Amino acid sequence: MVRGEDEVPVCRMLDLSLPGSAATLYAQTSSRGRHVDVLVNNAGFGDYGDFTETDVQKNHDMLQVNIVTLTALTRLYTPAMLERRHGGVINLASIVAFQPGPLMAVYYASKAYVLSFT
């Protein structure tokens, strides 16, 4: 949710697996004079199966959502928070970020990235 001059929360739906989606969201919020006080990066998804049998595109989309978009959103919104001297970022990883596990190699690795990045 984003608050604007009228302080009414606004929700946006956006496919974060699409390249450039972070820039799209940032442009939508900043062009309307809205600012983000707290960025909560909670989007993510996983897949299950032997790595050699998982869908290549699904793995790509997972990395796009779980790593690339999360990083881009953080980079785009943080400077204004620092300038205002107000705001924060919450990046949600997973317990699986602490140790690799079976049948979800890409998901586990992506959540380890979030933990390390944060």
Side-chain angles (χ1 to χ4, degrees):
M1 288 196 287
V2 179
R3 294 186 187 275
E5 294 174 10
D6 53 7
E7 296 301 314
V8 175
V10 177
C11 292
R12 297 274 181 243
M13 287 181 31
L14 190 63
D15 184 347
L16 299 178
S17 71
L18 298 175
S21 59
T24 299
L25 180 60
Y26 181 76
Q28 288 176 355
T29 56
S30 60
S31 71
R32 291 180 172 93
R34 300 187 184 278
H35 66 271
V36 172
D37 290 324
V38 178
L39 173 65
V40 180
N41 284 314
N42 189 35
F45 73 93
D47 195 18
Y48 183 83
D50 288 326
F51 174 71
T52 58
E53 296 174 11
T54 57
D55 183 83
V56 172
Q57 186 60 49
K58 188 180 274 188
N59 285 336
H60 179 272
D61 292 347
M62 186 188 326
L63 293 172
Q64 183 71 33
V65 171
N66 295 2
I67 295 175
V68 176
T69 300
L70 175 141
T71 304
L73 287 170
T74 303
R75 172 59 185 85
L76 289 167
Y77 284 103
T78 302
M81 293 177 190
L82 293 172
E83 185 177 310
R84 288 191 312 270
R85 300 176 61 87
H86 177 79
V89 177
I90 300 171
N91 290 327
L92 285 108
S94 169
I95 192 70
V96 304
F98 293 97
Q99 181 174 333
L103 303 175
M104 295 183 76
V106 176
Y107 177 76
Y108 280 49
S110 73
K111 293 305 176 174
Y113 171 86
V114 175
L115 179 66
S116 182
F117 177 67
T118 303

